[in-house]
Amino acid sequence: MAAANPQGDVTPKARIIFLGPPGAGKGTQAARLAEWLGVPKISTGDMLREHIAKGTAIGKQAGPIINQGKLVPDELLVTMIRERIAEPDCKQGFILDGFPRTVGQAHSLESLVPGGAATFDIFDMEVPREELLKRLGSRQRIDDAGSTVLRRLQEYDVRTLPLIDFYKANARFHRVDGFRDVEDVQKDLRSRLEKRA
Ligand code: AMP
């Protein structure tokens, strides 16, 4: 249950960030956790794909970048997230799947959320590169084609991996072995949240 604090804000049930490379299982695990906790899952990849499908200005800008396996500019993502987490369903918490992905985005998130990083649980999903290539090779997304996958992994290594240093001092930073059965990973995530509740 959410409780009111002296400032009158609602104490969030959970704020969670999923880190990890493409194919690590962030989306799958975030969706299950969101259902269990009763908070929304915010996937920036899904939001961008929706913009592309609808042919919005954001979609037109992001489409070619996504298809090349590159990261979309920070300003665009930060605006999207700022608006999304201001919606009423995020009052009691939310799960971020695919954001932040750069140190710049992580800095921006600090100013968007009262209390910043210290109020988040961060799950860093670790999966061997060989397994990632296997998983991504069997998906049907346009940006899962061979050379694009390598580009996405390279973007991850260069621009997202430094986020681990940004967050690892956080008391609620969790390294998670993502090279396990989906259910085993999910149980692990839930038990870590329960332990610190
Ligand atoms: P995903 O579904 O999370 O793998 O995202 C698909 C693509 O959307 C990525 O390869 C990026 O091109 C773009 N994207 C999603 N989230 C972000 C983000 N936080 N920053 C920059 N680009 C993003």
Side-chain angles (χ1 to χ4, degrees):
M1 268 301 277
N5 67 22
Q7 285 79 40
D9 299 331
V10 172
T11 306
K13 282 194 266 191
R15 285 184 188 148
I16 294 168
I17 292 170
F18 273 92
L19 292 181
K26 301 185 297 293
T28 304
Q29 296 299 336
R32 287 173 190 231
L33 214 50
E35 200 181 315
W36 182 63
L37 291 165
V39 298
K41 170 186 105 133
I42 302 175
S43 160
T44 45
D46 286 350
M47 289 168 85
L48 289 168
R49 281 185 288 275
E50 216 176 295
H51 276 287
I52 293 169
K54 286 187 184 155
T56 67
I58 290 180
K60 289 204 172 87
Q61 189 188 343
I65 303 173
I66 293 177
N67 290 346
Q68 290 170 52
K70 294 188 202 158
L71 292 182
V72 174
D74 285 354
E75 306 79 59
L76 201 153
L77 268 295
V78 171
T79 305
M80 244 173 51
I81 286 290
R82 180 190 300 119
E83 289 171 1
R84 181 64 188 90
I85 64 182
E87 286 178 31
D89 65 333
C90 290
K91 273 221 165 6
Q92 297 200 355
F94 49 86
I95 299 181
L96 295 175
D97 159 28
F99 184 95
R101 249 172 159 113
T102 66
V103 171
Q105 292 176 16
H107 279 294
S108 299
L109 186 61
E110 289 300 288
S111 61
L112 293 181
V113 177
T119 69
F120 280 88
D121 279 278
I122 296 129
F123 290 123
D124 174 35
M125 306 276 291
E126 301 191 338
V127 172
R129 193 58 51 115
E130 238 180 64
E131 171 68 10
L132 293 177
L133 290 169
K134 215 161 87 187
R135 291 183 185 180
L136 294 166
S138 66
R139 299 203 310 200
Q140 300 293 322
R141 266 169 43 175
I142 189 160
D143 59 343
D144 283 337
S147 61
T148 314
V149 162
L150 295 180
R151 181 67 204 239
R152 287 167 61 208
L153 288 169
Q154 190 189 7
E155 287 280 80
Y156 171 78
D157 289 340
V158 174
R159 303 189 60 197
T160 309
L161 209 50
L163 282 184
I164 293 177
D165 277 335
F166 185 88
Y167 286 120
K168 75 178 179 205
N170 192 316
R172 298 198 216 153
F173 177 84
H174 313 267
R175 280 188 196 279
V176 180
D177 174 7
F179 191 22
R180 291 177 291 170
D181 188 77
V182 171
E183 291 306 328
D184 291 342
V185 175
Q186 183 66 198
K187 265 190 221 150
D188 187 7
L189 301 182
R190 291 182 188 185
S191 86
R192 288 177 197 230
L193 291 177
E194 278 171 341
K195 261 184 214 142
R196 68 125 188 89

